[in-house]
Amino acid sequence: MKITYSILYKNGHEDIVVQPINDDNFKMIQRINGTIQTSLQNNLDGRVTIGDESTDVTTIRLSEVARVHYQFSEK
């Protein structure tokens, strides 16, 4: 299973970030999604880091984000 994030920044740039989901990181993914939702709903600043923490890491400054769409998929 994986989650694909489509992140639209206020400057118009869009990033696509794909994160595999497994039993070890499922709760972390839930926390990231909750942080994104809370930040955008309440206009709060914050940062989230998506990746495997060793080879592929994306850090997002939420104050610069206009919209985040995410989709779960099996493959």
Side-chain angles (χ1 to χ4, degrees):
M1 182 174 240
K2 69 179 179 181
I3 184 167
T4 302
Y5 294 93
S6 173
I7 304 157
L8 178 65
Y9 295 91
K10 292 177 181 176
N11 67 5
H13 177 78
E14 187 170 18
D15 279 336
I16 305 295
V17 179
V18 178
Q19 173 67 48
I21 300 174
N22 55 45
D23 292 340
D24 295 331
N25 69 1
F26 182 74
K27 289 201 182 283
M28 178 200 63
I29 297 295
Q30 288 180 312
R31 284 195 309 269
I32 288 171
N33 294 347
T35 300
I36 291 170
Q37 289 176 342
T38 299
S39 177
L40 293 178
Q41 289 172 348
N42 297 299
N43 200 28
L44 300 174
D45 192 14
R47 290 192 176 116
V48 294
T49 301
I50 302 169
D52 65 8
E53 298 180 11
S54 62
T55 59
D56 187 22
V57 177
T58 301
T59 300
I60 303 158
R61 182 176 298 153
L62 294 172
S63 63
E64 297 178 4
V65 173
R67 180 194 76 217
V68 176
H69 171 81
Y70 54 89
Q71 181 175 358
F72 293 93
S73 60
E74 287 297 322
K75 197 169 188 185

